[in-house]
Amino acid sequence: MTPSLGVCYYPEHWPEEWWAEDARRMAEAGLAWVRIGEFAWSRMEPAPGELDLGWLDRAIDTLGAAGLKVVLGTPTATPPRWMVTRHPDMLPVDASGRRRGFGSRRHYDFSHPGYREECARIVTILARRYGRNPHVAAWQTDNEYACHDTTLSYSEAALHAFRDWLARKYQSPQALNRAWGNVFWSMEYAGFDEIGLPNLTVTEPNPAHVMDFRRFASDQVVAFNRLQTEIIRQFSDAPIAHNYMGRVTGFDHFATGADLDIAAWDSYPLGFLSDRLEAPAAHKRRYLRQGDPDFQAFHHDLYRAVGRGRWWVMEQQPGPVNWAPWNPAPLPGMARLWAWEAFAHGAEAVLYFRWRQAPFGQEQQHAGLLRPDSAPAPALAEAAQVAREVAAMGEVAPARAAVALVFDYESAWAWETQPQGRDFDWFRLAFAAYRALRSLGLSIDILPPDTGDLSGYRLVLAPGIATLSERLKAALPGVGGEVILGPRTNARTRDFAIPTAPLPPAIPGLDAVVALAESLPPDIEHPLPRGGAIRHWLERLEGGAEVVERTAEGWPVLLRAGRVLYLGGWPDDAAFRRLLAEACARVGIATTDLPEGLRLRDTAALRFAFNYAPEPVEHEGRTIPAAGVAWWPRG
Ligand code: GAL
């Protein structure tokens, strides 16, 4: 498929006389898509039941007349003020028991039945009215579930829904007591109506209680989203997307993804580098205006998996954002590079956020493709360049990678619930593995945790999966080369207890148990004689399995049983890179020693190179400028 570009637009922010000219300029820049509507509830329904959709009809007509395809957002992330008067208890409650207020966005509780009904009502109105509109070519549900820390709410509505969820899951309080281990500290319950939410306890709540609350909260997001997709599908055949975020693990995106046609995400590389990444200060300085070389690609690959192949970037940073601790401007060329990188990873569309910078409201300092005075901002020319280049290239067909990484949201919750060491963060571990692979020049597929067939991959990584699914466990021996598990694999049962017979990791065929595990402060390292060191986490492995590698003290750290390897610690960047390079060599995957900041991605026909470095780099006889993109036929 030939990828396309677009932009996010807020017709309700601008005089109607401007719309046609805006649409003309969008089309002139080569944009194909325009997303609208996702925050406009107060203009769609200014007072309860009083609809005003004439302006939206005209906005869609105007954009459509310019040849643009509309993505229509449901406005449920921004319930208007009257809604809160109608349902005062729809506001979410934070972990310290304070109700969160009106005055920004996402001020709703996923569990509130009254608010769900209001959402069903407005989505039905929009789907009925625009479901067959020839210009509405896609839908977006809500906006960035979980953003601003909104998955968990400790409200009355959540409490009642949680008790129902537990009753359905366990059937009897005795079964729940057994599963949670409530004999510990006399936590036993006699009925489901005695169970509270796991906040405001004197010291830490039972981790099994927390885990079930996390699963429940994730299910509430899934149900909230499904309510909307089921309505839209009654009236429209257009594909439905949701725009996810970067490094958000609070709900199971694979589960919401099953109800959607397209997984989209919102990519703000400079904001994310500044506020969502653990990295040395020198790294943040070097990539200040380009973003981390792997963070975007990681999410591209993740959301390709969540979307079962169909994915977009719904919002692409065009210039400085407003919300990170510091908000630098991208290097010239980055607004182009980011779009091309998404296309090389298989994105169907990339939409810049936003058309014109807003002179009012919370995001006044957030750049758009236009300045507030409607003059072009720097990214407009870069977007137009990408549009021309894409038109010239035609189809960009993704290719299956030789290497895969398993991503598991439940493991993120598990290790947040019981990190055992302050910096044991599951995303961080998975991302470290990904970064090491990418630094070897590899393209990577990300797989869901219930993957049942690994035979198409020569190397599969599944670090830190708290409970291996039966499907994945059964698929391990069938991997097309090697699979590397650990640390902390299978360290918990589904009930969040340590399995005792046998002890973890209980991998069929691997004669090994974790006899002891320790977490380590960040300045402690256990060197590996062949290069690099173990940090954060180190296990003492016992058993008769073949030892592939030991720490300098002689403790086994990498074990093997046939095609399955188990890593009993968290390797630092140098160790990860070396271990994975060695694994690649064993399974016949060619690796490349890339200049710092250069990254590669293969499509079916082409090899793309992206230079995140602030200086030109040399690669295979080519010079790639700072913030430059290059591509050539795959050898
Ligand atoms: C996104 C959000 C947009 C806008 C943008 C600013 O997270 O979906 O509505 O707020 O950030 O960077």
Side-chain angles (χ1 to χ4, degrees):
M1 100 141 40
T2 303
S4 48
L5 287 176
V7 72
C8 304
Y9 186 53
Y10 299 91
E12 70 277 19
H13 293 182
W14 314 111
E16 192 163 338
E17 307 81 76
W18 295 13
W19 297 352
E21 175 61 6
D22 281 344
R24 190 195 64 73
R25 291 177 76 186
M26 290 173 195
E28 182 184 65
L31 307 182
W33 291 95
V34 56
R35 186 197 63 180
I36 63 170
E38 83 277 11
F39 299 130
W41 200 335
S42 73
R43 291 298 171 97
M44 296 172 179
E45 191 178 12
E50 243 175 63
L51 293 168
D52 178 4
L53 294 168
W55 69 270
L56 189 54
D57 297 348
R58 296 193 297 282
I60 293 172
D61 282 352
T62 306
L63 296 163
L68 297 160
K69 290 183 283 187
V70 171
V71 183
L72 186 56
T74 67
T76 51
T78 49
R81 180 60 186 81
W82 57 256
M83 186 73 75
V84 179
T85 305
R86 228 184 196 188
H87 304 283
D89 55 352
M90 65 169 275
L91 293 170
V93 174
D94 73 11
S96 50
R98 283 175 314 188
R99 211 166 260 294
R100 302 176 80 177
F102 179 85
S104 63
R105 61 178 173 182
R106 301 211 53 74
H107 43 281
Y108 69 83
D109 194 311
F110 283 101
S111 302
H112 191 270
Y115 186 57
R116 280 203 194 177
E117 273 175 39
E118 301 277 7
C119 292
R121 189 177 57 77
I122 192 73
V123 173
T124 306
I125 290 166
L126 294 175
R128 202 187 284 279
R129 192 171 180 110
Y130 301 111
R132 302 277 168 223
N133 185 303
H135 305 309
V136 175
W139 295 84
Q140 175 185 297
T141 54
D142 204 270
N143 191 79
E144 291 184 344
Y145 294 135
C147 189
H148 315 307
D149 204 5
T150 50
T151 308
L152 302 180
S153 170
Y154 299 85
S155 64
E156 277 292 303
L159 174 64
H160 293 301
F162 183 48
R163 286 174 177 165
D164 289 349
W165 186 95
L166 290 172
R168 275 197 305 278
K169 175 167 177 178
Y170 292 105
Q171 302 289 315
S172 75
Q174 293 75 20
L176 176 142
N177 286 330
R178 266 196 309 277
W180 286 9
N182 280 338
V183 61
F184 194 82
W185 287 355
S186 276
M187 290 180 294
E188 284 157 308
Y189 297 104
F192 288 104
D193 55 0
E194 292 180 353
I195 301 172
L197 298 176
N199 65 325
L200 298 173
T201 48
V202 172
T203 182
E204 67 173 300
N206 185 338
H209 186 173
V210 177
M211 271 305 278
D212 266 343
F213 184 58
R214 303 293 305 259
R215 293 185 182 111
F216 153 80
S218 177
D219 285 357
Q220 295 298 87
V221 178
V222 174
F224 183 92
N225 183 66
R226 184 177 301 149
L227 179 68
Q228 301 201 12
T229 58
E230 283 179 349
I231 295 169
I232 295 169
R233 290 194 201 289
Q234 288 171 32
F235 300 99
S236 175
D237 298 327
I240 312 175
H242 175 75
N243 58 332
Y244 302 104
M245 269 296 264
R247 198 171 182 167
V248 162
T249 51
F251 66 95
D252 184 347
H253 295 42
F254 291 112
T256 45
D259 293 321
L260 295 161
D261 302 295
I262 296 168
W265 81 288
D266 297 345
S267 177
Y268 292 93
L270 305 192
F272 293 146
L273 177 80
S274 178
D275 90 340
R276 270 182 210 197
L277 198 69
E278 302 87 352
H283 182 88
K284 294 205 175 191
R285 270 197 305 277
R286 178 170 168 80
Y287 295 106
L288 179 79
R289 297 177 187 282
Q290 306 94 286
D292 179 83
D294 299 303
F295 196 86
Q296 288 64 251
F298 181 89
H299 289 85
H300 297 339
D301 292 338
L302 173 61
Y303 290 123
R304 192 172 63 252
V306 169
R308 300 176 310 280
R310 291 200 68 183
W311 75 278
W312 294 16
V313 172
M314 193 64 90
E315 301 179 11
Q316 173 63 64
Q317 174 167 5
V321 299
N322 61 299
W323 45 263
W326 290 274
N327 295 294
L331 278 191
M334 287 313 294
R336 168 175 174 258
L337 181 150
W338 292 325
W340 267 116
E341 189 173 37
F343 293 148
H345 285 254
E348 295 177 8
V350 172
L351 283 69
Y352 290 91
F353 180 92
R354 51 185 278 155
W355 177 242
R356 183 186 291 103
Q357 184 173 344
F360 44 76
Q362 278 88 331
E363 297 178 342
Q364 299 175 13
Q365 288 290 136
H366 195 297
L369 295 184
L370 301 188
R371 302 188 321 208
D373 65 356
S374 298
L380 183 64
E382 292 192 27
Q385 181 183 349
V386 178
R388 287 192 302 274
E389 290 169 338
V390 165
M393 175 175 297
E395 193 177 346
V396 183
R400 186 185 185 129
V403 179
L405 172 74
V406 178
F407 194 86
D408 178 34
Y409 289 92
E410 282 224 13
S411 295
W413 312 335
W415 304 138
E416 253 170 64
T417 301
Q418 268 200 343
Q420 177 70 359
R422 183 171 292 172
D423 46 13
F424 198 102
D425 177 273
W426 191 79
F427 178 95
R428 185 175 176 181
L429 174 63
F431 185 64
Y434 181 89
R435 189 170 42 210
L437 290 167
R438 286 250 303 169
S439 73
L440 295 167
L442 302 172
S443 297
I444 298 138
D445 285 348
I446 288 185
L447 304 176
D450 59 351
T451 299
D453 179 8
L454 302 177
S455 60
Y457 293 100
R458 273 183 280 163
L459 180 63
V460 176
L461 267 67
I465 305 283
T467 314
L468 283 177
S469 70
E470 290 307 317
R471 278 167 64 82
L472 185 57
K473 213 194 276 183
L476 296 176
V479 66
E482 288 187 355
V483 55
I484 304 180
L485 307 169
R488 275 188 117 165
T489 297
N490 255 346
R492 290 294 180 278
T493 65
R494 287 265 171 236
D495 290 330
F496 211 75
I498 295 177
T500 49
L503 284 175
I507 316 281
L510 182 80
D511 178 10
V513 296
V514 177
L516 177 153
E518 54 176 353
S519 62
L520 305 165
D523 53 342
I524 300 297
E525 57 170 36
H526 285 268
L528 299 174
R530 303 222 312 272
I534 296 295
R535 289 176 181 273
H536 308 299
W537 189 265
L538 181 56
E539 297 172 353
R540 296 297 189 285
L541 304 174
E542 291 180 352
E546 177 196 346
V547 178
V548 181
E549 184 153 353
R550 296 175 188 271
T551 64
E553 300 92 338
W555 295 327
V557 78
L558 186 63
L559 305 179
R560 169 196 292 283
R563 297 171 170 212
V564 180
L565 288 99
Y566 184 83
L567 188 55
W570 182 325
D572 66 8
D573 287 350
F576 238 145
R577 207 180 124 89
R578 176 184 57 76
L579 287 166
L580 296 178
E582 289 169 3
C584 286
R586 288 194 298 267
V587 299
I589 297 174
T591 57
T592 321
D593 216 4
L594 293 175
E596 216 197 311
L598 189 72
R599 292 293 185 262
L600 305 178
R601 170 77 197 176
D602 289 339
T603 65
L606 300 173
R607 168 158 288 187
F608 281 85
F610 302 97
N611 185 14
Y612 272 84
E615 70 273 333
V617 298
E618 300 291 324
H619 178 68
E620 293 186 0
R622 295 176 180 82
T623 304
I624 305 167
V629 185
W631 56 80
W632 58 90
R634 264 175 87 168

